[in-house]
Amino acid sequence: MTIEERDYGYHVPVMLRESLEGLGIQPAGVYVDVTFGGGGHSREILRSLGPEGELYGFDQDADAERNIPDDPRFTFVRSNFRYLYNFMRYYGRSGEVDGLLADLGVSSHHFDDKERGFSFRFDGALDMRMNTRAGRTAADVVNEYPEEALADLFYLYGELKQARRLAAVVVKAREKGRIETIGDFMEVVRPFAGKDKEKKFLAQVFQALRIEVNDEMRALREMLRSALRVLRPGGRLVVITYHSLEDRLVKNFLRTGNFEGKSETDFFGNVSSPFRLINNKVIVPSGEEVERNPRSRSAKLRIAEKKE
């Protein structure tokens, strides 16, 4: 059975073959999947490891725990990947990791579970937390944030031009009663969407809220800095992004070692970066993969190796 033919449960892993090739798996190596989720990437990494290999999988979502493989080479870390360095130091593997994979997409399971509140296709609680055991919900953000803070998050994380008007309308609507459900929220924001671009507009609004609720951009920065610390020289970093905000951060960090993309050069004019790019040109899913899994269409894969 080929990789493409296997059943990966509630989440189809994106660019699986390309990710594994990017990791360059050594049978006795130490690897980390910081976005364990449905476990698809992790199970394929385990298939490539020998008896001495080790794999650590991070996930803060309780649902992911149902997918933990019964394998002595696998260690599940019940945590946000922003704490990567702390845990790898705890396990005595900081500076010894041969490869790290981050698939930053929200799993199909989250979008398809109406109770989680990630999708505008269903009505339900306006939640959007990756970790349902703690933290504020999307309803808390919508009902409690000052108007200016709402406008900022719609603009920065949703890249919405009408962010200020949208925030003003939300604030006015919540004065009549708390916005608790997706249905309540959709009544408020839908008038801003033109019929021909409604799905795109709603996707941007929901993306902005999800990023804020889960503090995704700051967590990503912390994880990338930690990845540099836990990888050994020659270790690989493989990252799959799904929207321009996170892709820009990853691209800048791999190219320059900072998130602003400011290039520092040595005496000879060479760009000083802690990484060597494995793919100068970003990798995207094949037409066949997009046809099999439409949710992969916006994915971008970047691979880099920590310099000696």
Side-chain angles (χ1 to χ4, degrees), residues 36 63 87 93 95 147 162 182 191 219 252 254 258-259 274 277:
F36 175 71
D63 288 351
F87 279 97
R93 286 291 180 244
E147 184 176 323
Q162 63 270 59
I182 294 171
N252 287 344
L254 297 186
N258 61 69
F259 300 116
L277 299 180

Side-chain angles (χ1 to χ4, degrees), residues 144-199:
E144 297 167 14
Y145 271 33
E147 184 176 323
E148 187 175 349
L150 279 177
D152 286 346
L153 76 90
F154 287 139
Y155 181 74
L156 293 172
Y157 298 152
E159 300 181 284
L160 292 161
K161 293 178 181 177
Q162 63 270 59
R164 293 200 179 283
R165 285 177 53 227
L166 182 59
V169 169
V170 169
V171 169
K172 188 173 182 180
R174 73 192 190 191
E175 290 172 358
K176 300 173 185 175
R178 188 174 166 88
I179 300 168
E180 291 282 9
T181 67
I182 294 171
D184 294 340
F185 185 61
M186 292 280 280
E187 268 188 51
V188 178
V189 304
R190 188 171 252 148
F192 282 84
K195 286 190 177 179
D196 55 333
K197 294 183 179 178
E198 183 177 271
K199 281 188 177 179

Side-chain angles (χ1 to χ4, degrees), residues 270-288:
N270 300 311
V271 175
S272 177
S273 169
F275 292 104
R276 178 177 72 86
L277 299 180
I278 300 302
N279 61 317
N280 283 305
K281 187 178 180 182
V282 69
I283 300 169
V284 296
S286 66
E288 291 82 2

Side-chain angles (χ1 to χ4, degrees), residues 1-153:
M1 184 182 290
T2 66
I3 283 177
E4 290 78 13
E5 293 171 331
R6 288 189 184 125
D7 178 11
Y8 293 103
Y10 71 46
H11 177 67
V12 180
V14 173
M15 287 192 278
L16 181 54
R17 187 182 298 280
E18 296 88 338
S19 301
L20 295 173
E21 289 173 357
L23 285 170
I25 297 171
Q26 304 166 34
V30 177
Y31 294 89
V32 183
D33 179 354
V34 297
T35 48
F36 175 71
H41 284 105
S42 281
R43 285 199 289 277
E44 289 301 330
I45 293 171
L46 287 169
R47 285 189 175 99
S48 301
L49 288 178
E52 302 301 316
E54 297 176 28
L55 174 62
Y56 296 82
F58 281 69
D59 210 297
Q60 62 184 333
D61 185 3
D63 288 351
E65 297 175 27
R66 291 180 286 172
N67 305 312
I68 297 173
D70 183 12
D71 192 312
R73 299 168 300 171
F74 181 79
T75 301
F76 183 74
V77 183
R78 193 173 285 104
S79 174
N80 188 298
F81 62 30
R82 72 196 312 162
Y83 303 114
L84 169 68
Y85 173 72
N86 306 57
F87 279 97
M88 298 318 293
R89 186 177 61 175
Y90 170 78
Y91 287 111
R93 286 291 180 244
S94 182
E96 299 181 7
V97 173
D98 294 287
L100 185 147
L101 171 69
D103 178 359
L104 302 177
V106 179
S107 83
S108 304
H109 168 67
H110 288 139
F111 282 125
D112 293 338
D113 184 351
K114 64 182 181 181
E115 300 301 322
R116 301 297 295 270
F118 284 95
S119 175
F120 51 81
R121 292 180 295 132
F122 311 108
D123 195 9
L126 193 59
D127 195 317
M128 299 194 194
R129 289 173 299 167
M130 294 290 186
N131 180 3
T132 55
R133 293 168 287 206
R136 61 181 171 237
T137 66
D140 294 332
V141 171
V142 166
N143 288 285
E144 297 167 14
Y145 271 33
E147 184 176 323
E148 187 175 349
L150 279 177
D152 286 346
L153 76 90

